[in-house]
Amino acid sequence: MEGAAIVRGSGHNGGVSTTSLPSPEHAAELRGALLSAGFTADGLLDLLGAPAYAALARSETVPALRATRVGGDGPLATLVRLFLLQQPAPYVHAAGALPVEAALADGWLRREGDEVHATVDVRPYGGPDGEDWFIVSDLGCAVGGAGGIGSRGREPGTAVVLGVGGASTTLAGITVRVPVATALDLGTGSGIQALHAAHHATRVTATDVNPRALEFTRLTLALSGAPEAELLAGSLFEPVGDATYDLIVSNPPFVISPGARLTYRDGGMSGDDLCRTLVQEAGAHLNPGGYAQFLGNWQHVEGEDWHDRVRSWVPRGCDAWIVQRDVQDVTQYAELWLRDAGDHRADPAEYQRRYEDWLDEFEASKTKAVGFGWITLRRTDAPEPSVVVEEWPHSVEQPLGDAVLAHFARQDYLRAHDDAALLSGHFLLAAEVVQEQVGAPGAEDPEHVVLRQNRGMRRATKVDTVGAGFAGVCDGSLSAGRILDAIAQLMQEDPVVLRDRTPEAIRMLVEQGFLEPVSGPAQRSAP
Ligand SMILES: C[S@@+](CC[C@H](N)C(=O)[O-])C[C@H]1O[C@@H](n2cnc3c(N)ncnc32)[C@H](O)[C@@H]1O
């Protein structure tokens, strides 16, 4: 990124100044010092203890502050106070923890008399294989929302850059992690998605409308020992031209809000237009077989089915899997984001005005509620794309990237197999599926039988006796048709009728991952 207006957070109040961000020049040296001091996710847990560590993730610093007092003036406690708790440290203590002169010269620290202060938040972050990574962000907004400080950075070039929030880790967790040549992180912020991508992509491009974010991404990558990324400033896909990628990820500024106050969350387009545009344009930037994965919000508009709304966003040539994880009515939604910005702590009249603005906007667009969820596209160029739009608000097993891959593999299988082919197919009951029977206590027969997964999406589905019996014997050795014939015999049913009516249920069990197709007769190896 050339010629960006580079500015940095200037302290506790989170205002921004026009001085430059730290230079990554001696990042390797600094990284070495942080690691030798034990300034890692595990080291923090040891020093702070679980409650204070967890409190930090909720942006509560008091328990950690108390814990570092017990930790004394050692290097780890000093680093925690400086980079996580925004406390000044005596120069001599800092000198015992890191190459202080280089850190001052490069701008990681600033000196005031005998004390030094951090200029940025540096937060240990454990990678998927136990890597010790660091996320660099503006002071005062490392976790979750900006709590009011973001509202001061109105211009895209001066807007604050947040650290890792729940949305960031959710996206990182659902991302498909297979080795790829090229990956794009759109709206990179602190660079967390780019950092993950650098782990399995040969070349990573990170973009952001806020040039400061690109500088933070550079620092995050350098301090984490990751390769440099291509950093491009600009909105949505504009900075990448017509480049295409194997993987595109974005945790975009998806909040549907009146006005574009906060660059990190308000896309500045009306309603859910930013998410729609992102999804619609992604298809043209995917290589064949490539994945695009986004978090998003969408409007629930009076008289319109939300499924149809998001389905209409899916670009030509792409399969899609869209999962609505949560829905909030417009009042809950407005309150959530008013709080995120710290507006609830502002003057009550101002809070009321902002709240009204929000509700006015929703009223004008006939929006009743807002959905939040995950959108995954896969470019297949299939003549009949598979577009699954569903609601699954229950807990899932993270990371979920492999489950996402498996979902699309199953769609390929189902597309290629008509009912006759399904009946001659062989299936394995997926690992850790259990059967639950629901009914009145003491009753002889259950009212219904539920199959439940303990892995991946942790789905549950109601099945009838045939479905339960069928799933139970799927060990890959017999074809589906042969199993049905045996069940028909047992239940004294007409096998032709059973073969006729069951493929739909088999299709559903395969689609939802309860049954896994195997290429031929197979014997289950597990007990
Ligand atoms: C919610 S933050 C996500 C940051 C980071 N990727 C993560 O997962 O934590 C959204 C980011 O998108 C950037 N952004 C806002 N509007 C944008 C636009 N029109 N085009 C590209 N990036 C944008 C913001 O500056 C911010 O860094």
Side-chain angles (χ1 to χ4, degrees):
M1 193 235 359
E2 296 297 327
I6 302 166
V7 286
R8 91 161 169 236
S10 63
H12 303 271
N13 64 7
V16 289
S17 77
T18 50
T19 47
S20 61
L21 281 163
S23 151
E25 197 181 337
H26 300 99
E29 213 178 320
L30 182 56
R31 173 176 170 76
L34 300 183
L35 293 181
S36 12
F39 190 57
T40 62
D42 289 345
L44 279 187
L45 190 58
D46 279 353
L47 176 76
L48 304 179
Y53 184 79
L56 256 191
R58 300 190 300 268
S59 296
E60 295 292 347
T61 53
V62 173
L65 204 51
R66 290 166 68 90
T68 58
R69 285 193 203 118
V70 179
D73 306 325
L76 179 55
T78 300
L79 292 173
V80 171
R81 279 200 290 269
L82 269 174
F83 287 117
L84 298 183
L85 306 177
Q86 301 171 31
Q87 301 290 311
Y91 177 93
V92 284
H93 293 169
L98 78 181
V100 68
E101 281 305 319
L104 282 164
D106 286 355
W108 295 93
L109 300 176
R110 65 186 167 78
R111 185 165 183 170
E112 269 179 33
D114 288 338
E115 291 185 327
V116 295
H117 299 248
T119 61
V120 286
D121 187 289
V122 176
R123 205 152 284 241
Y125 177 75
D129 298 319
E131 299 85 356
D132 289 313
W133 289 343
F134 297 97
I135 306 293
V136 188
S137 65
D138 264 318
L139 290 172
C141 49
V143 182
I149 66 171
S151 51
R152 298 193 194 104
R154 281 164 202 263
E155 297 303 315
T158 62
V160 295
V161 174
L162 261 59
V164 175
S168 325
T169 49
T170 296
L171 177 62
I174 65 170
T175 300
V176 164
R177 301 289 174 199
V178 290
V180 290
T182 52
L184 169 66
D185 171 18
L186 194 155
T188 187
S190 64
I192 173 181
Q193 313 300 339
L195 177 59
H196 275 278
H199 203 45
H200 61 106
T202 313
R203 283 192 313 286
V204 176
T205 300
T207 70
D208 205 291
V209 76
N210 178 4
R212 301 184 72 237
L214 301 177
E215 292 307 310
F216 276 106
T217 295
R218 191 196 301 283
L219 296 172
T220 289
L221 293 175
L223 205 53
S224 299
E228 284 182 27
E230 179 186 33
L231 302 171
L232 303 172
S235 180
L236 293 171
F237 288 102
E238 172 265 318
V240 304
D242 52 12
T244 57
Y245 301 88
D246 300 322
L247 174 69
I248 301 173
V249 287
S250 184
N251 168 13
F254 53 70
V255 179
I256 299 169
S257 56
R261 266 169 82 213
L262 306 175
T263 313
Y264 71 86
R265 59 165 225 201
D266 306 324
M269 289 176 156
S270 124
D272 51 19
D273 276 359
L274 184 127
C275 287
R276 178 181 53 76
T277 309
L278 185 64
V279 177
Q280 284 177 338
E281 294 186 357
H285 293 278
L286 276 181
N287 289 330
Y291 284 88
Q293 297 192 266
F294 309 119
L295 301 184
N297 269 174
W298 40 82
Q299 291 161 254
H300 285 215
V301 177
E302 202 178 301
E304 181 192 66
D305 183 339
W306 70 266
H307 295 81
D308 296 340
R309 185 179 187 87
V310 288
R311 188 185 293 275
S312 76
W313 296 356
V314 175
R316 195 186 296 261
C318 287
D319 284 2
W321 184 22
I322 299 172
V323 184
Q324 179 167 280
R325 297 283 295 153
D326 192 17
V327 191
Q328 288 184 311
D329 71 45
V330 290
T331 60
Q332 293 170 312
Y333 189 80
E335 287 159 26
L336 170 73
W337 295 110
L338 284 163
R339 282 176 177 274
D340 166 84
D343 291 333
H344 59 302
R345 292 196 293 265
D347 164 41
E350 178 72 2
Y351 178 76
Q352 185 178 339
R353 188 187 62 73
R354 287 194 191 281
Y355 200 153
E356 294 246 18
D357 283 352
W358 224 297
L359 295 185
D360 284 348
E361 173 109 348
F362 283 138
E363 203 170 279
S365 59
K366 297 200 163 94
T367 302
K368 298 287 168 209
V370 178
F372 164 81
W374 312 330
I375 298 174
T376 300
L377 305 176
R378 177 182 171 228
R379 189 170 154 206
T380 54
D381 298 312
E384 284 176 45
S386 136
V387 177
V388 175
V389 181
E390 63 173 323
E391 185 158 22
W392 186 251
H394 308 292
S395 87
V396 300
E397 181 192 36
Q398 282 278 32
L400 204 65
D402 286 348
V404 173
L405 268 182
H407 166 92
F408 286 94
R410 292 194 300 266
Q411 293 301 324
D412 284 348
Y413 175 89
L414 290 172
R415 191 165 24 215
H417 290 74
D418 60 13
D419 286 357
L422 271 191
L423 289 175
S424 47
H426 294 244
F427 301 93
L428 270 181
L429 183 66
E432 296 188 42
V433 170
V434 294
Q435 173 179 307
E436 292 170 1
Q437 307 202 343
V438 182
E444 230 167 70
D445 290 322
E447 272 160 44
H448 47 253
V449 176
V450 171
L451 296 184
R452 186 178 295 282
Q453 299 165 352
N454 281 316
R455 307 296 312 269
M457 291 291 279
R458 299 202 173 114
R459 289 184 191 278
T461 190
K462 246 202 285 186
V463 284
D464 60 13
T465 2
V466 173
F470 179 85
V473 288
C474 273
D475 64 0
S477 57
L478 289 178
S479 72
R482 294 275 304 280
I483 297 175
L484 287 181
D485 293 345
I487 293 179
Q489 206 175 11
L490 250 155
M491 297 177 67
Q492 295 172 350
E493 274 205 40
D494 179 348
V496 179
V497 173
L498 201 60
R499 274 180 176 251
D500 231 34
R501 71 171 162 88
T502 316
E504 197 188 328
I506 300 179
R507 209 166 269 283
M508 184 278 290
L509 290 174
V510 173
E511 173 159 4
Q512 298 205 346
F514 289 94
L515 296 181
E516 292 166 358
V518 290
S519 45
Q523 205 59 53
R524 247 200 132 115
S525 49

